[in-house]
Every structure is written in structure tokens, then in C-alpha cells.
Amino acid sequence: DDKGGYESSLPSIENTDISLQSTATNANTLTIMTGRVVGVLNRSRQRSHVATITGDVDYMLEQGMEYVLVVPMDPRIPKIRIHTRQLINIVRQRLLVSIDEWPVDSLYPNGHLNNIIGPVNSVEVEVKCLLLESGIAFDNFSASALSCLPSSDE
């Protein structure tokens, strides 16, 4: 009876789509091949993230800090450390940031500020941020596309 390469003593994974091969001689054990990343040959395209400054902003301004942590909207992305000399201009703003590197000895990746999207809690800015995070184009329609619409008089 062919079970697709699975041991017959492992009924919990017998009917799944996972393709594992048992190299064990004992029917009660299953060896799963594992590995680790040792280097990155090619980087994928640089992705930008919508983020906001976190922490005690008044203290940061008072101390004249140039490195700040920003919290991305996507909870799967860690806080990103950015360098800025315009802290006063980006406080309480939605920012578009990119990750540049992640040093081995750092808890947070280093990145840079791409753009200031707009003030936090503005409905228009929040919608724009959601579209940016989702990768949806939101540019204005071209004149030729708008000319195909019926006029507002009708």
C-alpha cells in the first residue's frame, strides 16, 4: 500500500499535501531537513513602509536627537531607526520610510525617510496610507480618461 512516501505509523500527516521524506530507520521517528540563511545574494525590491514616530517627542526635541524610532502601520514590521535633522517637521506625521540595513548587533533595522505623507488622524492621509501599504495606485486620472466620463450637467 503506497502512502505517498509517508510512514504508515504517522496517520496525522498521512493525508496532507506536505511532501516529507522519512530517512529514519525507526518507524516512530521522522527526520525533517532544516537549514539556515548564511547570506543574501540578491535583495528583492526595496519596499517602503508607512510609519509614525514613537516615544516622548518633547524629550527628543529637547535633547536634539537625530536618530529616532518609527513604528510602521504593519505590525509585522519591526520599529525602524531613522536619521533625521528635521524632527520638528515630522512629529505627529505619517512618514514613508525604507529599510536600508539591519546590523547583526542591533534590535532594529536602520532606514531612511522617503517622504512626509501628512498629519496623523487626517482622514485623507489615513486613506492614502492604507492605499500605500496595500500597494494600490492612487494617482489622479489622466485628462484622456476623464474626458470619457459623462459631464456633470447630465
Side-chain angles (χ1 to χ4, degrees):
D1 183 37
D2 183 29
K3 300 283 185 183
Y6 300 118
E7 295 290 332
S8 60
S9 64
L10 300 172
S12 61
I13 62 169
E14 184 175 288
N15 295 323
T16 63
D17 292 330
I18 300 172
S19 61
L20 299 175
Q21 291 185 357
S22 174
T23 58
T25 56
N26 186 347
N28 294 329
T29 61
L30 180 67
T31 303
I32 299 174
M33 302 302 284
T34 60
R36 65 184 177 103
V37 176
V38 294
V40 177
L41 297 176
N42 296 321
R43 282 189 164 190
S44 63
R45 66 176 179 85
Q46 184 107 9
R47 182 169 180 258
S48 296
H49 305 282
V50 176
T52 307
I53 292 179
T54 183
D56 186 358
V57 177
D58 294 330
Y59 176 77
M60 289 182 213
L61 290 169
E62 184 180 296
Q63 296 297 316
M65 298 176 89
E66 291 187 1
Y67 286 93
V68 294
L69 288 177
V70 295
V71 178
M73 284 181 70
D74 187 345
R76 298 172 296 176
I77 309 298
K79 293 179 183 177
I80 303 168
R81 181 184 301 109
I82 63 168
H83 178 264
T84 182
R85 292 189 188 138
Q86 54 178 336
L87 182 60
I88 191 73
N89 297 330
I90 62 174
V91 172
R92 295 174 190 84
Q93 298 286 321
R94 291 285 186 199
L95 312 170
L96 195 62
V97 298
S98 294
I99 296 175
D100 297 326
E101 65 178 348
W102 195 332
V104 176
D105 60 343
S106 176
L107 291 176
Y108 305 110
N110 295 326
H112 67 275
L113 175 64
N114 293 335
N115 198 1
I116 299 172
I117 302 169
V120 174
N121 296 331
S122 163
V123 174
E124 183 179 313
V125 170
E126 297 298 326
V127 168
K128 191 174 181 179
C129 290
L130 290 172
L131 293 173
L132 280 167
E133 279 291 310
S134 302
I136 299 171
F138 57 88
D139 297 331
N140 293 332
F141 290 106
S142 66
S144 62
L146 290 174
S147 67
C148 295
L149 295 174
S151 66
S152 59
D153 299 337
E154 295 176 11

